[in-house]
Amino acid sequence: MQAAALINSGQVFVLSNYILKYARDERVKYISHLDFIRTFHRTVRRAGLEMSFSQGYNPHPIMTVAMPLSVGVTSGCEYMKIGFEGDYDDKEIKDRLNGALPEGFSILEVCKTEGKQHDFARLDRAVYLVEMEGNCDRFDENVFLANFELKIMKKSKSGEKESDIRPYIYDFSVLKRSPEKMLLKMCIAAGNSYNLKVESVKDAMEKYSDGFKSDFFCVHREKILAGNDELL
């Protein structure tokens, strides 16, 4: 959507659209997506910014979040598009929102956008850091990645069915390891075309590794990518 102007009772309101990159840390990782949306609406009001609303009988804020984060996951790379009534400086929006957001959330970057300059539909993969606990000395990443197929049961709208996730694991490595813990980095498919969950990769690791079992894991989303590129 491009910036536009509305005339109302002789006043002209400039509607401008921005893309925001933001982070969510450990303190807010159990807040649901809907609760985050409500929190952000209140934050915008506290910051003294005017959100744009759609037209019609049931107007709603002009706001889109890319790949909503699962509950329990932290991130340093979330994106949203939002419309404001007014033409604000990027830094002003960042400073105002950071001054009004609850602890645990932070705005990292703000950029004015027009048209399909920052098209969320292009996003097709995500990079995760995953810390696992268990008998990690039983997992061999080279043996795991040597499999031409990694078939697991996945839930869909039509029910549960077997799916080969190997084509959707683009990169996978063990960064640190001890007998009981390991830190993984993986780049996997995400977005509208195919969305692979970290939990599904964990299931495949347990299925295709003799004796390996993860008792606990925590996930941090490091990047959301369009091919090899970030939006901001």
Side-chain angles (χ1 to χ4, degrees):
M1 294 179 290
Q2 294 183 345
L6 294 180
I7 300 177
N8 184 15
S9 301
Q11 292 182 307
V12 176
F13 299 96
V14 177
L15 306 186
S16 302
N17 297 288
Y18 297 82
I19 181 169
L20 278 56
K21 183 178 182 180
Y22 61 99
R24 299 179 58 168
D25 68 21
E26 290 281 342
R27 292 169 289 183
V28 293
K29 70 178 184 179
Y30 293 114
I31 294 178
S32 71
H33 177 63
L34 288 178
D35 284 338
F36 165 69
I37 295 299
R38 298 186 189 102
T39 297
F40 194 81
H41 289 172
R42 292 193 294 269
T43 296
V44 171
R45 291 195 294 270
R46 284 197 300 270
L49 300 169
E50 295 289 336
M51 289 184 72
S52 300
F53 285 78
S54 62
Q55 304 298 304
Y57 291 104
N58 185 29
H60 58 274
I62 298 174
M63 175 181 172
T64 305
V65 176
M67 297 185 200
L69 200 63
S70 299
V71 172
V73 178
T74 60
S75 176
C77 63
E78 299 307 289
Y79 292 106
M80 79 165 66
K81 285 181 183 175
I82 185 169
F84 289 120
E85 289 190 2
D87 193 10
Y88 297 97
D89 177 75
D90 295 349
K91 186 176 184 303
E92 180 184 4
I93 293 175
K94 178 181 176 181
D95 291 344
R96 284 204 197 183
L97 290 176
N98 278 331
L101 276 167
E103 291 185 357
F105 296 103
S106 59
I107 305 297
L108 304 176
E109 295 184 57
V110 177
C111 179
K112 191 174 182 179
T113 184
E114 294 187 2
K116 293 187 176 182
Q117 181 182 0
H118 300 97
D119 188 1
F120 287 171
R122 293 172 47 230
L123 297 169
D124 64 351
R125 62 195 65 194
V127 177
Y128 294 93
L129 293 175
V130 184
E131 185 175 338
M132 287 190 177
E133 295 181 6
N135 55 344
C136 298
D137 52 345
R138 301 297 298 271
F139 177 74
D140 187 326
E141 64 269 29
N142 295 318
V143 173
F144 176 67
L145 294 173
N147 289 283
F148 292 105
E149 294 182 329
L150 295 171
K151 291 186 175 182
I152 62 165
M153 299 303 294
K154 286 191 66 181
K155 291 182 180 179
S156 65
K157 293 180 180 178
S158 57
E160 201 172 42
K161 63 178 182 179
E162 192 174 56
S163 177
D164 178 18
I165 66 171
R166 183 64 183 88
Y168 305 104
I169 302 175
Y170 304 125
D171 195 20
F172 183 100
S173 60
V174 178
L175 301 182
K176 296 179 182 179
R177 187 202 302 271
S178 72
E180 296 83 23
K181 289 184 180 181
M182 61 182 171
L183 179 64
L184 309 174
K185 186 173 184 177
M186 61 182 75
C187 179
I188 57 179
N192 295 329
S193 297
Y194 192 94
N195 190 63
L196 179 59
K197 294 183 178 180
V198 172
E199 290 90 337
S200 297
V201 179
K202 180 189 77 72
D203 291 344
M205 290 168 63
E206 293 178 340
K207 179 179 178 180
Y208 288 87
S209 300
D210 186 25
F212 169 68
K213 179 69 176 177
S214 174
D215 301 321
F216 172 81
F217 69 102
C218 59
V219 182
H220 176 78
R221 187 148 71 183
E222 187 179 54
K223 294 180 182 178
I224 301 175
L225 302 171
N228 294 319
D229 301 321
E230 296 184 80
L231 293 183
L232 289 182

